[in-house]
Amino acid sequence: MNAKVWLVGAGPGDPELLTLKAVRALNQADVVLIDDLVNPAVLSHCPAARIIPVGKRGGCRSTPQAFIHRLMLRYARQGKCVARLKGGDPCIFGRGGEEAQWLQERGVEVELVNGITAGLAGATQCGIPLTLRGISRGVTLVTAHTQDDSTLNWQALAQGGTTLVVYMGVAKLDEIQAQLLAGGMAAATPVAMIENASLPQQRECRSNLLQMRADALAFKLQSPAILVIGEVAAGVDAALQSQVATG
Ligand code: SAH
């Protein structure tokens, strides 16, 4: 029996942002391991599957990653079709790469299925184009949260001229703000903070680099949220006007 695990991106929350391939994988799955950030509404595509919550709230606090690895392996070796469903895209801050490698090393076939990552969805839901001709030539996805306390090269990010999309940043707003200002990014740089992107409870807080922390506090910004930092975060009209003003 060929063991197989699908590592599937569930997208940012809106069930309509699921890919057709994700739907097919869910349809075929006997067992679905689901992360916290996945909207349970997508489980309508796998009514017969056994659903196992494995997020932090799913009861596997100690060594969760090792536990999840073993669970996937066990079901795959039983010949079950396993779908591991992750919020957004499995390979954007989702450990998809690690899980795929671990399983492949043990002879399990892995198929990765893209999902729409929260950073892209959040920006689009707020009318923010992450690239804009003449204004933003690129996008950099970063996480403010690291396990080993290593730091990003904030100066390079501040001066790189790309739109920054920050994941897991809510608890690190002060550090992000301080580092980007110290790195030379203009205090007036627009910032959009988008909570629960693509879900009915989505909220967005528009600010700038100087005010972002105070504005987020007043707004009571909660995780999950993404930050979009750069001229485009003010929207197309404002970004184009600022280009005219400075250009
Ligand atoms: N693999 C996921 C990211 C997981 S890391 C993806 O591709 O989207 C978890 C972080 O993702 C959260 O802290 C938050 O920054 C972001 N996130 C996930 N879902 C979100 C949503 N619906 N709205 C805003 N941010 C979200």
Side-chain angles (χ1 to χ4, degrees), residues 4 8 24 32 50 65 129 131 133 144 148 166 183 238 243:
K4 177 164 177 177
V8 183
R24 184 159 67 82
V32 177
R50 172 158 185 210
Q65 198 56 41
T131 67
R133 217 146 42 109
D148 56 1
V166 185
Q243 186 190 38

Side-chain angles (χ1 to χ4, degrees), residues 19-20 37 41 100 105 107 114 126 146 166 179 182 193 217 220 246:
T19 65
L20 293 175
L37 281 177
E105 279 171 5
N114 282 121
C126 298
T146 54
V166 185
Q179 295 281 7
M193 296 174 269
L217 269 177
K220 297 189 164 55
T246 57

Side-chain angles (χ1 to χ4, degrees), residues 144-152 172 175:
H145 176 87
T146 54
Q147 267 185 340
D148 56 1
D149 278 338
S150 58
T151 54
L152 291 162
K172 301 254 176 170
E175 181 189 342

